[in-house]
Amino acid sequence: NSGRTISSIKRYMGSDHRVHIDGKDLTPQEISAMILAKIRRDAESYLGEPVTEAVITVPAYFDDSQRKATQDAGRIAGLNVLRIINEPTAAAVAYGLDNEAPQKILVYDLGGGTFDVSLLKLSRGVFEVLGTGGNAALGGDDFDHAVVDWAVSQLGSVELTAEDRRQLLDRAKAAKEALTDAPETVLKLELSSGTHAFTLTRVIFDQLTKSLVDETLEAVANVLRDAKLEKDQIKGVVLVGGSTRMPCVRREVEAYFGFAPLTGIDPDCVVAV
């Protein structure tokens, strides 16, 4: 339903961007309010009682206009927005790091479509953002496409239809996820040209995606440099986002800092927790 489907509206919060659907021009706040209203209905259905108040998290790099637009979206959805807080701050609170001795924490957030780095200074319950960075066009989707490119190279001269390519992307994502727990997986394709199967090992996957992981660490280095800090001054690294489940990501982050990152809470849920 491409004519009535909207994605990544968060990127347009606080701008004069409009989405034209059903003869109407809708603001990012109005679209976001629809999403918040759906979440509210789900919560009310689960709890069996009204939900009237909310705390909403936003990226650390959101400016005042983007934060105000987010607050407006909550109000349109009928919610009393108690607080707008930074996603990395929320992740640090989930681990109880706000209750520990003063320290500097790095939050490494690798999602499906974006990568964000946030550097926080925590001191007696006060959070200061020392720096933010990342890559708005780097995420788990790029790891999927690396597997797709590899599979296409294995297929050689086989002609691919649009439907073939869609299936290939689905299988590539499933293979990536399987390699989180297994050392290898089979990529089985039922293409218009026939059935094809390839074994993808974690070693090959790591080679295919090494440049992507390296890009994230370059962004980390840039944030540290801008904040005039050395990596040995960072006392904890929090992993956020489903893509941080990949063993290659966890291994390289640990190698970069010299200690294991915090992974005890589901990275998809840590901000919500």
Side-chain angles (χ1 to χ4, degrees):
N1 194 10
S2 59
R4 301 183 72 252
T5 300
I6 301 161
S7 65
S8 299
I9 197 67
K10 183 163 115 175
R11 292 180 180 176
Y12 300 104
M13 295 300 281
S15 75
D16 57 5
H17 178 82
R18 296 290 183 273
V19 179
H20 190 76
I21 292 184
D22 297 344
K24 296 178 190 170
D25 279 330
L26 300 170
T27 65
Q29 291 96 310
E30 289 171 317
I31 299 295
S32 294
M34 294 176 188
I35 297 167
L36 290 170
K38 170 67 168 70
I39 295 170
R40 177 188 181 180
R41 289 195 301 273
D42 287 348
E44 289 178 334
S45 172
Y46 177 79
L47 296 169
E49 61 185 74
V51 172
T52 57
E53 297 179 322
V55 173
I56 304 178
T57 59
V58 295
Y61 57 79
F62 259 28
D63 61 24
D64 285 343
S65 67
Q66 291 169 305
R67 289 166 197 269
K68 184 179 182 305
T70 304
Q71 199 146 14
D72 289 344
R75 186 177 42 75
I76 296 167
L79 292 163
N80 174 25
V81 181
L82 301 173
R83 190 75 62 90
I84 300 285
I85 66 172
N86 292 329
E87 290 163 2
T89 299
V93 170
Y95 278 102
L97 300 177
D98 52 323
N99 297 323
E100 297 182 7
Q103 58 186 317
K104 296 179 181 70
I105 299 291
L106 186 127
V107 179
Y108 178 109
D109 185 347
L110 186 61
T114 60
F115 173 62
D116 297 308
V117 186
S118 301
L119 192 54
L120 306 176
K121 181 181 179 183
L122 282 58
S123 180
R124 296 195 178 98
V126 177
F127 292 78
E128 182 185 350
V129 179
L130 299 179
T132 63
N135 187 336
L138 174 64
D141 296 347
D142 298 288
F143 288 77
D144 300 341
H145 287 295
V147 176
V148 168
D149 292 342
W150 172 81
V152 168
S153 72
Q154 300 301 301
L155 288 166
S157 59
V158 174
E159 287 289 324
L160 296 172
T161 65
E163 186 54 46
D164 288 343
R165 290 187 177 278
R166 268 195 293 274
Q167 183 196 145
L168 188 48
L169 188 55
D170 285 344
R171 297 287 193 277
K173 184 177 182 187
K176 174 191 74 177
E177 292 171 356
L179 289 174
T180 297
D181 299 310
E184 62 179 49
T185 187
V186 175
L187 209 71
K188 190 174 181 183
L189 303 166
E190 305 285 350
L191 305 180
S192 52
S193 59
T195 301
H196 305 265
F198 309 106
T199 298
L200 177 62
T201 66
R202 190 183 288 175
V203 171
I204 294 173
F205 177 81
D206 291 355
Q207 291 169 349
L208 296 173
T209 59
K210 185 179 187 307
S211 63
L212 297 172
V213 179
D214 288 348
E215 275 187 63
T216 70
L217 295 176
E218 284 168 23
V220 168
N222 289 338
V223 170
L224 289 170
R225 186 170 60 247
D226 292 345
K228 296 181 171 57
L229 290 173
E230 299 296 327
K231 58 187 175 184
D232 60 6
Q233 293 176 268
I234 305 303
K235 299 307 176 191
V237 177
V238 177
L239 297 188
V240 179
S243 297
T244 60
R245 286 194 180 89
M246 288 184 279
C248 58
V249 169
R250 295 189 174 192
R251 183 183 67 243
E252 293 302 322
V253 169
E254 180 171 351
Y256 183 84
F257 284 98
F259 58 83
L262 294 165
T263 60
I265 303 174
D266 181 340
D268 274 323
C269 301
V270 63
V271 170
V273 169

mmCIF file of all heavy atoms in Angstrom, residues 48-80:
data_model
loop_
_atom_site.group_PDB
_atom_site.id
_atom_site.type_symbol
_atom_site.label_atom_id
_atom_site.label_comp_id
_atom_site.label_asym_id
_atom_site.label_seq_id
_atom_site.Cartn_x
_atom_site.Cartn_y
_atom_site.Cartn_z
ATOM 1 N N GLY A 48 -6.233 -2.611 30.717
ATOM 2 C CA GLY A 48 -7.640 -2.565 31.097
ATOM 3 C C GLY A 48 -8.016 -1.295 31.828
ATOM 4 O O GLY A 48 -8.964 -1.272 32.616
ATOM 5 N N GLU A 49 -7.264 -0.233 31.592
ATOM 6 C CA GLU A 49 -7.563 1.050 32.222
ATOM 7 C C GLU A 49 -7.044 2.184 31.337
ATOM 8 O O GLU A 49 -6.193 1.958 30.465
ATOM 9 C CB GLU A 49 -6.911 1.133 33.603
ATOM 10 C CG GLU A 49 -5.403 1.019 33.575
ATOM 11 C CD GLU A 49 -4.793 0.990 34.977
ATOM 12 O OE1 GLU A 49 -4.914 -0.046 35.655
ATOM 13 O OE2 GLU A 49 -4.200 2.014 35.376
ATOM 14 N N PRO A 50 -7.545 3.419 31.521
ATOM 15 C CA PRO A 50 -7.111 4.536 30.676
ATOM 16 C C PRO A 50 -5.634 4.876 30.893
ATOM 17 O O PRO A 50 -5.107 4.722 31.995
ATOM 18 C CB PRO A 50 -8.000 5.698 31.120
ATOM 19 C CG PRO A 50 -9.124 5.077 31.884
ATOM 20 C CD PRO A 50 -8.589 3.824 32.476
ATOM 21 N N VAL A 51 -4.980 5.329 29.821
ATOM 22 C CA VAL A 51 -3.609 5.826 29.900
ATOM 23 C C VAL A 51 -3.648 7.294 29.479
ATOM 24 O O VAL A 51 -4.075 7.606 28.368
ATOM 25 C CB VAL A 51 -2.662 5.034 28.976
ATOM 26 C CG1 VAL A 51 -1.285 5.688 28.921
ATOM 27 C CG2 VAL A 51 -2.536 3.588 29.441
ATOM 28 N N THR A 52 -3.235 8.182 30.359
ATOM 29 C CA THR A 52 -3.353 9.614 30.078
ATOM 30 C C THR A 52 -2.022 10.353 30.081
ATOM 31 O O THR A 52 -1.936 11.476 29.606
ATOM 32 C CB THR A 52 -4.268 10.287 31.127
ATOM 33 O OG1 THR A 52 -3.723 10.038 32.431
ATOM 34 C CG2 THR A 52 -5.683 9.723 31.055
ATOM 35 N N GLU A 53 -0.980 9.717 30.626
ATOM 36 C CA GLU A 53 0.309 10.401 30.742
ATOM 37 C C GLU A 53 1.413 9.600 30.052
ATOM 38 O O GLU A 53 1.309 8.387 29.913
ATOM 39 C CB GLU A 53 0.659 10.604 32.215
ATOM 40 C CG GLU A 53 -0.357 11.505 32.922
ATOM 41 C CD GLU A 53 -0.045 11.706 34.380
ATOM 42 O OE1 GLU A 53 0.401 10.744 35.038
ATOM 43 O OE2 GLU A 53 -0.232 12.829 34.863
ATOM 44 N N ALA A 54 2.446 10.305 29.628
ATOM 45 C CA ALA A 54 3.530 9.623 28.902
ATOM 46 C C ALA A 54 4.870 10.312 29.134
ATOM 47 O O ALA A 54 4.934 11.526 29.349
ATOM 48 C CB ALA A 54 3.233 9.596 27.407
ATOM 49 N N VAL A 55 5.918 9.510 29.093
ATOM 50 C CA VAL A 55 7.289 10.002 28.965
ATOM 51 C C VAL A 55 7.741 9.558 27.580
ATOM 52 O O VAL A 55 7.607 8.386 27.233
ATOM 53 C CB VAL A 55 8.214 9.406 30.047
ATOM 54 C CG1 VAL A 55 9.666 9.806 29.790
ATOM 55 C CG2 VAL A 55 7.766 9.841 31.428
ATOM 56 N N ILE A 56 8.226 10.479 26.769
ATOM 57 C CA ILE A 56 8.609 10.149 25.394
ATOM 58 C C ILE A 56 10.114 10.352 25.226
ATOM 59 O O ILE A 56 10.664 11.382 25.637
ATOM 60 C CB ILE A 56 7.845 11.019 24.374
ATOM 61 C CG1 ILE A 56 6.332 10.878 24.571
ATOM 62 C CG2 ILE A 56 8.224 10.626 22.942
ATOM 63 C CD1 ILE A 56 5.491 11.733 23.635
ATOM 64 N N THR A 57 10.773 9.350 24.641
ATOM 65 C CA THR A 57 12.214 9.458 24.403
ATOM 66 C C THR A 57 12.486 9.926 22.980
ATOM 67 O O THR A 57 11.742 9.610 22.050
ATOM 68 C CB THR A 57 12.926 8.109 24.634
ATOM 69 O OG1 THR A 57 12.362 7.132 23.760
ATOM 70 C CG2 THR A 57 12.788 7.649 26.075
ATOM 71 N N VAL A 58 13.587 10.673 22.827
ATOM 72 C CA VAL A 58 14.005 11.204 21.518
ATOM 73 C C VAL A 58 15.516 11.045 21.386
ATOM 74 O O VAL A 58 16.220 10.904 22.386
ATOM 75 C CB VAL A 58 13.631 12.698 21.369
ATOM 76 C CG1 VAL A 58 12.125 12.900 21.378
ATOM 77 C CG2 VAL A 58 14.298 13.550 22.447
ATOM 78 N N PRO A 59 16.035 11.084 20.152
ATOM 79 C CA PRO A 59 17.496 11.038 19.985
ATOM 80 C C PRO A 59 18.160 12.207 20.717
ATOM 81 O O PRO A 59 17.578 13.296 20.831
ATOM 82 C CB PRO A 59 17.681 11.178 18.466
ATOM 83 C CG PRO A 59 16.391 10.696 17.875
ATOM 84 C CD PRO A 59 15.333 11.119 18.848
ATOM 85 N N ALA A 60 19.383 11.999 21.187
ATOM 86 C CA ALA A 60 20.093 13.045 21.940
ATOM 87 C C ALA A 60 20.341 14.290 21.088
ATOM 88 O O ALA A 60 20.430 15.398 21.615
ATOM 89 C CB ALA A 60 21.419 12.494 22.457
ATOM 90 N N TYR A 61 20.427 14.110 19.753
ATOM 91 C CA TYR A 61 20.729 15.254 18.891
ATOM 92 C C TYR A 61 19.491 16.087 18.531
ATOM 93 O O TYR A 61 19.601 17.109 17.853
ATOM 94 C CB TYR A 61 21.418 14.790 17.598
ATOM 95 C CG TYR A 61 20.642 13.776 16.802
ATOM 96 C CD1 TYR A 61 19.581 14.165 15.994
ATOM 97 C CD2 TYR A 61 20.956 12.436 16.860
ATOM 98 C CE1 TYR A 61 18.847 13.232 15.272
ATOM 99 C CE2 TYR A 61 20.237 11.493 16.149
ATOM 100 C CZ TYR A 61 19.192 11.902 15.355
ATOM 101 O OH TYR A 61 18.464 10.980 14.644
ATOM 102 N N PHE A 62 18.298 15.676 18.982
ATOM 103 C CA PHE A 62 17.088 16.472 18.714
ATOM 104 C C PHE A 62 17.253 17.871 19.314
ATOM 105 O O PHE A 62 17.625 18.009 20.481
ATOM 106 C CB PHE A 62 15.857 15.794 19.337
ATOM 107 C CG PHE A 62 15.011 15.035 18.352
ATOM 108 C CD1 PHE A 62 15.563 14.476 17.214
ATOM 109 C CD2 PHE A 62 13.639 14.879 18.563
ATOM 110 C CE1 PHE A 62 14.785 13.763 16.307
ATOM 111 C CE2 PHE A 62 12.843 14.173 17.661
ATOM 112 C CZ PHE A 62 13.421 13.610 16.532
ATOM 113 N N ASP A 63 16.950 18.914 18.514
ATOM 114 C CA ASP A 63 17.017 20.284 19.031
ATOM 115 C C ASP A 63 15.670 20.680 19.653
ATOM 116 O O ASP A 63 14.739 19.878 19.710
ATOM 117 C CB ASP A 63 17.440 21.265 17.930
ATOM 118 C CG ASP A 63 16.469 21.294 16.755
ATOM 119 O OD1 ASP A 63 15.277 20.939 16.927
ATOM 120 O OD2 ASP A 63 16.898 21.679 15.645
ATOM 121 N N ASP A 64 15.591 21.927 20.104
ATOM 122 C CA ASP A 64 14.394 22.375 20.824
ATOM 123 C C ASP A 64 13.131 22.257 19.968
ATOM 124 O O ASP A 64 12.065 21.869 20.459
ATOM 125 C CB ASP A 64 14.558 23.829 21.294
ATOM 126 C CG ASP A 64 15.492 23.928 22.502
ATOM 127 O OD1 ASP A 64 15.723 22.880 23.145
ATOM 128 O OD2 ASP A 64 15.986 25.028 22.793
ATOM 129 N N SER A 65 13.233 22.603 18.681
ATOM 130 C CA SER A 65 12.050 22.547 17.812
ATOM 131 C C SER A 65 11.584 21.102 17.608
ATOM 132 O O SER A 65 10.376 20.827 17.564
ATOM 133 C CB SER A 65 12.329 23.218 16.458
ATOM 134 O OG SER A 65 13.285 22.478 15.723
ATOM 135 N N GLN A 66 12.530 20.174 17.519
ATOM 136 C CA GLN A 66 12.181 18.763 17.350
ATOM 137 C C GLN A 66 11.553 18.200 18.625
ATOM 138 O O GLN A 66 10.615 17.407 18.580
ATOM 139 C CB GLN A 66 13.431 17.959 16.964
ATOM 140 C CG GLN A 66 13.928 18.275 15.558
ATOM 141 C CD GLN A 66 15.300 17.691 15.299
ATOM 142 O OE1 GLN A 66 16.253 17.948 16.035
ATOM 143 N NE2 GLN A 66 15.423 16.891 14.256
ATOM 144 N N ARG A 67 12.056 18.649 19.772
ATOM 145 C CA ARG A 67 11.499 18.198 21.056
ATOM 146 C C ARG A 67 10.092 18.770 21.260
ATOM 147 O O ARG A 67 9.196 18.072 21.733
ATOM 148 C CB ARG A 67 12.427 18.614 22.213
ATOM 149 C CG ARG A 67 13.719 17.820 22.236
ATOM 150 C CD ARG A 67 14.772 18.443 23.151
ATOM 151 N NE ARG A 67 16.065 17.870 22.814
ATOM 152 C CZ ARG A 67 16.588 16.789 23.385
ATOM 153 N NH1 ARG A 67 15.919 16.170 24.341
ATOM 154 N NH2 ARG A 67 17.741 16.314 23.011
ATOM 155 N N LYS A 68 9.909 20.043 20.881
ATOM 156 C CA LYS A 68 8.595 20.660 21.026
ATOM 157 C C LYS A 68 7.583 19.966 20.105
ATOM 158 O O LYS A 68 6.435 19.717 20.492
ATOM 159 C CB LYS A 68 8.667 22.152 20.705
ATOM 160 C CG LYS A 68 7.332 22.868 20.936
ATOM 161 C CD LYS A 68 7.414 24.353 20.646
ATOM 162 C CE LYS A 68 6.074 25.019 20.938
ATOM 163 N NZ LYS A 68 4.948 24.401 20.230
ATOM 164 N N ALA A 69 8.031 19.632 18.877
ATOM 165 C CA ALA A 69 7.148 18.947 17.937
ATOM 166 C C ALA A 69 6.730 17.584 18.488
ATOM 167 O O ALA A 69 5.573 17.159 18.335
ATOM 168 C CB ALA A 69 7.846 18.779 16.580
ATOM 169 N N THR A 70 7.664 16.902 19.151
ATOM 170 C CA THR A 70 7.358 15.604 19.766
ATOM 171 C C THR A 70 6.338 15.769 20.888
ATOM 172 O O THR A 70 5.397 14.974 21.018
ATOM 173 C CB THR A 70 8.649 14.950 20.307
ATOM 174 O OG1 THR A 70 9.598 14.836 19.244
ATOM 175 C CG2 THR A 70 8.366 13.573 20.878
ATOM 176 N N GLN A 71 6.512 16.830 21.672
ATOM 177 C CA GLN A 71 5.567 17.111 22.760
ATOM 178 C C GLN A 71 4.172 17.421 22.193
ATOM 179 O O GLN A 71 3.153 16.959 22.724
ATOM 180 C CB GLN A 71 6.073 18.289 23.585
ATOM 181 C CG GLN A 71 5.449 18.386 24.964
ATOM 182 C CD GLN A 71 6.433 18.917 25.997
ATOM 183 O OE1 GLN A 71 7.472 19.441 25.649
ATOM 184 N NE2 GLN A 71 6.108 18.767 27.268
ATOM 185 N N ASP A 72 4.153 18.170 21.087
ATOM 186 C CA ASP A 72 2.880 18.494 20.426
ATOM 187 C C ASP A 72 2.188 17.219 19.935
ATOM 188 O O ASP A 72 0.965 17.087 20.038
ATOM 189 C CB ASP A 72 3.116 19.433 19.239
ATOM 190 C CG ASP A 72 3.505 20.848 19.684
ATOM 191 O OD1 ASP A 72 3.294 21.171 20.868
ATOM 192 O OD2 ASP A 72 4.025 21.603 18.839
ATOM 193 N N ALA A 73 2.975 16.293 19.404
ATOM 194 C CA ALA A 73 2.402 15.023 18.919
ATOM 195 C C ALA A 73 1.722 14.278 20.059
ATOM 196 O O ALA A 73 0.621 13.730 19.892
ATOM 197 C CB ALA A 73 3.494 14.158 18.295
ATOM 198 N N GLY A 74 2.363 14.273 21.211
ATOM 199 C CA GLY A 74 1.769 13.626 22.385
ATOM 200 C C GLY A 74 0.469 14.292 22.797
ATOM 201 O O GLY A 74 -0.521 13.620 23.116
ATOM 202 N N ARG A 75 0.473 15.623 22.750
ATOM 203 C CA ARG A 75 -0.735 16.366 23.128
ATOM 204 C C ARG A 75 -1.879 16.070 22.155
ATOM 205 O O ARG A 75 -3.015 15.851 22.575
ATOM 206 C CB ARG A 75 -0.412 17.865 23.139
ATOM 207 C CG ARG A 75 -1.530 18.761 23.644
ATOM 208 C CD ARG A 75 -1.098 20.221 23.692
ATOM 209 N NE ARG A 75 -0.330 20.645 22.525
ATOM 210 C CZ ARG A 75 -0.864 20.875 21.323
ATOM 211 N NH1 ARG A 75 -2.165 20.713 21.123
ATOM 212 N NH2 ARG A 75 -0.110 21.266 20.318
ATOM 213 N N ILE A 76 -1.563 16.034 20.839
ATOM 214 C CA ILE A 76 -2.587 15.724 19.827
ATOM 215 C C ILE A 76 -3.159 14.328 20.064
ATOM 216 O O ILE A 76 -4.346 14.076 19.842
ATOM 217 C CB ILE A 76 -1.991 15.839 18.400
ATOM 218 C CG1 ILE A 76 -1.554 17.283 18.110
ATOM 219 C CG2 ILE A 76 -3.007 15.390 17.344
ATOM 220 C CD1 ILE A 76 -0.684 17.419 16.862
ATOM 221 N N ALA A 77 -2.302 13.417 20.545
ATOM 222 C CA ALA A 77 -2.741 12.039 20.818
ATOM 223 C C ALA A 77 -3.514 11.935 22.129
ATOM 224 O O ALA A 77 -3.932 10.848 22.528
ATOM 225 C CB ALA A 77 -1.532 11.100 20.852
ATOM 226 N N GLY A 78 -3.701 13.089 22.817
ATOM 227 C CA GLY A 78 -4.479 13.090 24.057
ATOM 228 C C GLY A 78 -3.688 12.699 25.278
ATOM 229 O O GLY A 78 -4.255 12.266 26.287
ATOM 230 N N LEU A 79 -2.371 12.849 25.193
ATOM 231 C CA LEU A 79 -1.509 12.466 26.310
ATOM 232 C C LEU A 79 -0.932 13.696 27.008
ATOM 233 O O LEU A 79 -0.578 14.683 26.349
ATOM 234 C CB LEU A 79 -0.351 11.595 25.809
ATOM 235 C CG LEU A 79 -0.720 10.209 25.287
ATOM 236 C CD1 LEU A 79 0.424 9.637 24.462
ATOM 237 C CD2 LEU A 79 -1.072 9.282 26.442
ATOM 238 N N ASN A 80 -0.826 13.617 28.308
ATOM 239 C CA ASN A 80 -0.113 14.627 29.078
ATOM 240 C C ASN A 80 1.352 14.197 29.116
ATOM 241 O O ASN A 80 1.697 13.223 29.784
ATOM 242 C CB ASN A 80 -0.692 14.721 30.494
ATOM 243 C CG ASN A 80 0.106 15.665 31.376
ATOM 244 O OD1 ASN A 80 0.764 16.564 30.885
ATOM 245 N ND2 ASN A 80 0.049 15.441 32.686
#
